[in-house]
Amino acid sequence: MMKPISSEALLQQAQSAFGQGELTNAVELLRRCLATDAKNTLAATNLCLVLGRLGLFPEAKMAGLNALALAPESVPALINTSVALQALGELDDAEALLLRAAKLAPNNSDIWDCLSLGQQQAGRFVEALQSLRKAITIAPENANAAMNYGLLLQKLGHSESALFWAQKALSMAPEDRTLAQNYLMFRQYVLNGNSEQEVQQTCAVIARAYPPVSHLAVKPRTANTVKIGLISADFYRHPVGYFLIGVLAELAAQGIELVLYMNQRNQDGLTDKLVSHASKVTNVIGISDRQLAEMIMADELTCLIDLSGHSKGNRLGALLYKPCPKQFSWLGYFASTGLTAIDAVILGEFQYVNGVEKFYSEAIAVMKGSHFTYTPPEHCPDIAQRPAIEQPGVTFGSFNNLAKLNERLLDTWSKILLAVPNSRLILKWSTFIDAGVIEEVTRAFEIRGVSKDVIICRASSEHYAMLNEYNDVDICLDPFPFNGGLTTCEALWMGVPVISLAGVKPVSRQSKGILDAIGLSDLVVTTERCYVQKAVALAADTKRRDYLRQSLRGRMEQSPLMDYKTMANSLLAIVKSDTTAWLS
């Protein structure tokens, strides 16, 4: 008879599984440990942590409360339980636990780091900054706190300062993938730099965070049919979901086998539609990169398309094993992944420009037409005849992420507002729920000579209501260097023209591709001076604005932007071709 495994051995196995990314296995082992030893505080505390990482927050809360019943003064249990409560929206209870922990361990910087996350969720962003400053003061070597400080600065429109903190955090733990990915994302928000140097830096960062692994022994696919795998954490009402659904439906209609690898808990009506076009759907949360790679290999795909890049929830680690003969990056990321396991980055021809290859370590595969196809939500507001703000002058707007603000953008927008009499600017983003954030942004315009009274800051709202607010806007101002994508499409769908400044990097050409696709290339400029001139001229051209307001939806419907068949066929041509057909 086999000797029963001790609770200590089960705990060690669980810790090993957690370290290897086998979270589901770690949960099973921890539960077995607690079944053997119900008073094992460490097992209960770790179970709370791992369940939280899996997004199973109700279960994580119960595990955390169990841990606290066993050890009411356990700081790790207090922190882990608070994280679960934050995710469930029980913010007051979460904060109370963290303040208890702070009394027990005033010099634990992780407590203040977690406290800041709850404060952000509650819309108290200025307080969150203070908490993070305290965390960094207590432990300057806390890389996660430094990165979270950078993330918050970015949320508040301080991209240059955010990049400094991201770089500082990464220097403390260069092998940490999350820190590396955040750093690479942060770089997209700052103005264009040297392309050769940028791709070299990306590859250097990736080499430290993604050490080499042995490729799997993948057998050549023998079936004649095309089978495409798509992997993402964004198969829901997310820009990736909205840009993907039309193409996915067309591919399915052509009989293409589609396999979705979902690394997400979020599911909604758009998830249901995306899933309905797939021949197979697998949720891959909680399994290791190696396990996921073996699963992909077993599915015998023609190609695998990663839709996340270095954005949150990605599974690039699985692609390192090269589980599929052809692996692409498309749609959800806009720069080089730096991974040799990615064969090519797919770009639309409207986003492509000679020289863009210098920003990539991968080959470039160019699709016909736009990089995006847009599918509007089923229920959209009607377009108003004229902006609903019944005031003289022109209302500009930008509903983009506040992280896209930068000094040169503020300078440019201020010049427009000063040049157009009786003009105003509506800014809309979630962080404007905090009066302190509004005060800081309006002050940035004031020091440039723009009265704070003409800057209208609005917090986020339900999607239909947000779209309806475009009826308050005459002209949208696209941010640069990080252009809008879905926001540009939504503004145009609501009849609002968009002025955009295009750069060389694809992230700086997103709106250009969209505007080119609908025949409005004249609204795209290449210098800040021309940006101001174009906005001022369109503000004065009431007749054209009225015409565009009534015709933009029709333009979009008849354009490559909503030509799902052409994009699907173009994507298939890339999938079926060999590497000699791609640009290098």
Side-chain angles (χ1 to χ4, degrees):
M1 181 179 293
M2 293 183 62
K3 184 180 179 181
I5 301 176
S6 68
S7 60
E8 292 78 9
L10 288 166
L11 184 58
Q12 288 179 354
Q13 290 177 23
Q15 290 171 332
S16 176
F18 179 78
Q20 294 173 28
E22 299 175 7
L23 304 189
T24 302
N25 188 27
V27 166
E28 181 183 347
L29 289 164
L30 288 167
R31 283 179 168 152
R32 286 175 60 191
C33 177
L34 287 167
T36 302
D37 179 7
K39 295 186 178 181
N40 192 316
T41 303
L42 183 56
T45 301
N46 288 348
L47 181 60
C48 174
L49 171 67
V50 182
L51 287 168
R53 295 285 178 88
L54 285 168
L56 300 171
F57 297 113
E59 295 94 327
K61 173 184 172 181
M62 295 304 297
L65 293 176
N66 179 41
L68 289 174
L70 295 170
E73 296 190 350
S74 167
V75 171
L78 287 164
I79 293 174
N80 292 345
T81 308
S82 74
V83 172
L85 292 174
Q86 286 175 355
L88 294 169
E90 300 175 30
L91 301 181
D92 291 342
D93 290 343
E95 186 164 333
L97 292 184
L98 288 169
L99 292 176
R100 270 174 57 190
K103 288 182 180 179
L104 293 166
N107 292 323
N108 185 322
S109 64
D110 290 337
I111 295 169
W112 298 97
D113 188 6
C114 287
L115 186 62
S116 77
L117 298 176
Q119 290 166 335
Q120 291 178 58
Q121 195 173 338
R124 293 151 49 196
F125 295 98
V126 175
E127 285 184 54
L129 272 177
Q130 295 169 351
S131 294
L132 280 168
R133 288 188 186 117
K134 187 161 186 174
I136 294 167
T137 301
I138 291 171
E141 75 287 354
N142 188 329
N144 286 325
M147 182 60 77
N148 285 337
Y149 188 57
L151 284 166
L152 183 50
L153 287 171
Q154 186 189 60
K155 283 183 184 179
L156 301 180
H158 302 292
S159 294
E160 290 88 350
S161 297
L163 182 60
F164 168 82
W165 281 96
Q167 194 163 14
K168 184 178 180 70
L170 186 60
S171 69
M172 299 180 206
E175 74 292 341
D176 187 304
R177 286 188 185 177
T178 300
L179 299 183
Q181 290 164 355
N182 283 337
Y183 168 71
L184 293 176
M185 287 289 293
F186 278 34
R187 286 207 329 220
Q188 305 308 314
Y189 288 85
V190 299
L191 296 168
N192 292 343
N194 178 281
S195 55
E196 290 86 352
Q197 185 181 52
E198 184 167 328
V199 75
Q200 289 170 4
Q201 290 173 345
T202 296
C203 290
V205 167
I206 290 304
R208 290 190 291 269
Y210 288 85
V213 299
S214 298
H215 289 180
L216 298 178
V218 179
K219 297 178 181 178
R221 179 174 166 80
T222 56
N224 292 325
T225 57
V226 175
K227 189 176 184 182
I228 299 175
L230 300 108
I231 184 167
S232 178
D234 302 318
F235 292 117
Y236 64 101
R237 290 190 182 106
H238 178 278
V240 167
Y242 281 117
F243 288 138
L244 183 64
I245 182 62
V247 178
L248 217 60
E250 178 60 34
L251 289 170
Q254 293 188 30
I256 304 301
E257 288 188 77
L258 301 169
V259 180
L260 305 188
Y261 302 99
M262 299 173 58
N263 196 50
Q264 66 191 64
R265 293 287 177 197
N266 289 343
Q267 296 195 20
D268 53 31
L270 188 55
T271 306
D272 296 338
K273 290 182 180 180
L274 291 162
V275 165
S276 71
H277 299 303
S279 56
K280 181 179 179 181
V281 179
T282 306
N283 196 308
V284 299
I285 292 176
I287 63 174
S288 70
D289 290 336
R290 173 81 189 204
Q291 289 171 323
L292 174 53
E294 290 173 347
M295 180 185 298
I296 293 169
M297 181 178 68
D299 284 333
E300 297 185 331
L301 306 172
T302 305
C303 77
L304 177 64
I305 302 178
D306 172 68
L307 301 171
S308 295
H310 292 296
S311 61
K312 186 176 181 181
N314 75 79
R315 296 304 305 266
L316 288 176
L319 275 67
L320 287 180
Y321 293 92
K322 206 65 165 62
C324 185
K326 295 179 185 177
Q327 299 187 158
F328 300 97
S329 173
W330 178 51
L331 203 59
Y333 194 60
F334 22 73
S336 175
T337 65
L339 293 174
T340 57
I342 300 292
D343 297 298
V345 171
I346 300 172
L347 294 178
E349 65 178 333
F350 293 145
Q351 273 73 25
Y352 177 81
V353 64
N354 287 332
V356 76
E357 298 88 355
K358 295 177 182 179
F359 289 100
Y360 291 90
S361 61
E362 308 92 335
I364 305 293
V366 181
M367 287 192 306
K368 182 178 180 181
S370 176
H371 190 70
F372 307 110
T373 54
Y374 175 61
T375 301
E378 290 181 355
H379 304 289
C380 276
D382 292 333
I383 298 173
Q385 287 293 110
R386 287 284 179 88
I389 296 180
E390 296 180 358
Q391 297 179 23
V394 171
T395 302
F396 296 99
S398 177
F399 292 9
N400 280 271
N401 191 336
L402 197 63
K404 295 182 181 182
L405 288 187
N406 57 71
E407 296 299 314
R408 285 167 63 177
L409 184 66
L410 289 167
D411 289 344
T412 304
W413 285 358
S414 295
K415 289 175 183 176
I416 293 169
L417 293 168
L418 292 170
V420 178
N422 299 316
S423 60
R424 63 203 67 83
L425 173 63
I426 298 176
L427 299 174
K428 185 174 177 65
W429 194 248
S430 59
T431 48
F432 287 129
I433 195 172
D434 190 325
V437 177
I438 294 174
E439 175 62 28
E440 186 173 355
V441 170
T442 54
R443 192 186 313 122
F445 280 97
E446 274 192 304
I447 64 176
R448 292 167 168 82
V450 177
S451 170
K452 66 179 182 180
D453 296 333
V454 305
I455 306 300
I456 304 166
C457 298
R458 298 178 179 176
S460 59
S461 55
E462 180 269 330
H463 195 206
Y464 182 95
M466 179 275 291
L467 291 174
N468 196 43
E469 289 185 61
Y470 279 110
N471 280 324
D472 295 340
V473 180
D474 291 286
I475 302 167
C476 273
L477 301 176
D478 193 33
F480 60 83
F482 198 140
N483 291 170
L486 182 62
T487 50
T488 299
C489 289
E490 290 179 337
L492 295 168
W493 187 252
M494 289 304 300
V496 183
V498 179
I499 306 292
S500 182
L501 192 157
V504 177
K505 295 166 66 173
V507 75
S508 301
R509 300 174 66 79
Q510 293 189 144
S511 291
K512 171 181 166 50
I514 293 166
L515 290 165
D516 284 352
I518 63 172
L520 288 178
S521 299
D522 68 300
L523 297 183
V524 181
V525 299
T526 56
T527 68
E528 289 147 59
R529 182 168 175 268
C530 291
Y531 188 107
V532 174
Q533 291 173 342
K534 184 67 65 174
V536 172
L538 188 57
D541 194 344
T542 306
K543 185 176 179 180
R544 188 181 187 202
R545 285 192 282 108
D546 285 347
Y547 169 73
L548 288 174
R549 200 169 195 87
Q550 299 307 315
S551 64
L552 275 172
R553 282 193 183 179
R555 276 178 178 261
M556 293 174 75
E557 288 171 337
Q558 300 302 315
S559 77
L561 200 59
M562 297 178 72
D563 184 354
Y564 314 119
K565 185 173 184 177
T566 295
M567 176 173 275
N569 289 338
S570 185
L571 186 63
L572 281 174
I574 290 172
V575 166
K576 294 176 181 179
S577 68
D578 59 38
T579 55
T580 60
W582 308 334
L583 296 174
S584 61

